Amino acid sequence: MAFELPSLPYSTSALADVGMCQETLEIHHGKHHQAYVTALNGFVEKDSNLQGKTLEEIIHYSYNKPDIAPIFNNSGQILNHNIFWESMSPTGGKIPTKLEAKLTEDFGGVAQFKEAFKTAATTQFGSGWAWLVLAADGKLKVVKTPNAGSPLASGEGKILFVMDVWEHAYYLDFRNRRPDFTTNWLDKIANYEYAEANLATA
Ligand code: MN3
């Protein structure tokens, strides 16, 4: 079974009013994400070691193996984008009570959490991702990963949500201003209800 590009959970114009325009979503989902799916399907077709494996199994199988880095990069990017679309909402930015209490407990407050997330996002040199995870010690943690990396691959905790910091995620809307993209994303786009649901099943 070939991997497929999942539909967005909203229309490509749904986030335009909160800082992510239709063209960004059309290119990001329809071109970038689609290209990772097409590339991975090409590898699976030619490699019996990959056939019958789930996306997660392919990520674990190819992680930290330089000779098959393209397989990790494409499978990792598919997973990361699958989570990224769910991590956003046209009515984002509202933090539900249980998650707010946990953020306050583990970071000292919502403002401190946002500051930590912004630091991770802006200090990730080059391309990558900023994540909110539930770490093994039971505490919420902000993690950054380069390129196609993820906490799933590295074992750094259960994923609650993710923000894409590759330039293609923000260049049309914010040009080179990644800090502004991040602030806007946390305040207006981030789907904290999705994060809380993931926390509940952790
Ligand atoms: Mn991307």
Side-chain angles (χ1 to χ4, degrees):
M1 268 297 281
F3 291 102
E4 284 177 18
L5 180 72
S7 302
L8 288 173
Y10 31 72
S11 75
T12 50
S13 61
L15 304 180
D17 288 344
V18 286
M20 191 175 282
C21 71
Q22 182 168 354
E23 193 182 6
T24 293
L25 275 175
E26 281 173 357
I27 296 172
H28 199 171
H29 176 256
K31 303 289 181 194
H32 289 276
H33 194 174
Q34 178 65 64
Y36 300 128
V37 173
T38 303
L40 182 64
N41 283 332
F43 290 123
V44 172
E45 217 174 277
K46 286 180 283 178
D47 186 346
S48 60
N49 289 316
L50 305 177
Q51 289 157 13
K53 281 189 165 66
T54 65
L55 185 64
E56 286 78 4
E57 285 166 347
I58 292 176
I59 289 168
H60 289 305
Y61 166 79
S62 58
Y63 182 56
N64 268 344
K65 294 200 181 89
D67 52 324
I68 53 170
I71 294 169
F72 177 77
N73 290 338
N74 285 283
S75 57
Q77 285 295 76
I78 295 172
L79 177 93
N80 295 0
H81 286 92
N82 289 350
I83 300 168
F84 180 54
W85 309 131
E86 300 293 334
S87 299
M88 302 191 287
S89 163
T91 56
K94 300 177 195 75
I95 307 182
T97 26
K98 274 185 196 154
L99 181 64
E100 185 176 352
K102 183 74 176 145
L103 288 170
T104 302
E105 191 183 319
D106 295 344
F107 291 95
V110 168
Q112 288 91 329
F113 153 69
K114 287 184 175 178
E115 207 46 50
F117 196 90
K118 200 170 165 179
T119 299
T122 53
T123 59
Q124 173 53 44
F125 185 77
S127 299
W129 301 82
W131 308 80
L132 175 63
V133 304
L134 182 68
D137 63 2
K139 285 189 169 31
L140 296 182
K141 206 177 145 194
V142 168
V143 169
K144 60 180 174 176
T145 61
N147 302 319
S150 68
L152 178 103
S154 64
E156 281 177 283
K158 151 108 183 166
I159 296 163
L160 301 193
F161 72 23
V162 69
M163 191 185 77
D164 193 338
V165 304
W166 285 59
E167 283 186 346
H168 63 231
Y170 60 86
Y171 222 81
L172 293 176
D173 299 293
F174 291 90
R175 299 299 166 189
N176 60 319
R177 294 176 284 118
R178 193 191 288 182
D180 293 349
F181 165 65
T182 306
T183 300
N184 182 75
W185 195 88
L186 289 169
D187 291 346
K188 293 186 179 169
I189 302 184
N191 188 344
Y192 293 96
E193 276 149 29
Y194 172 69
E196 187 178 270
N198 287 330
L199 180 63
T201 59

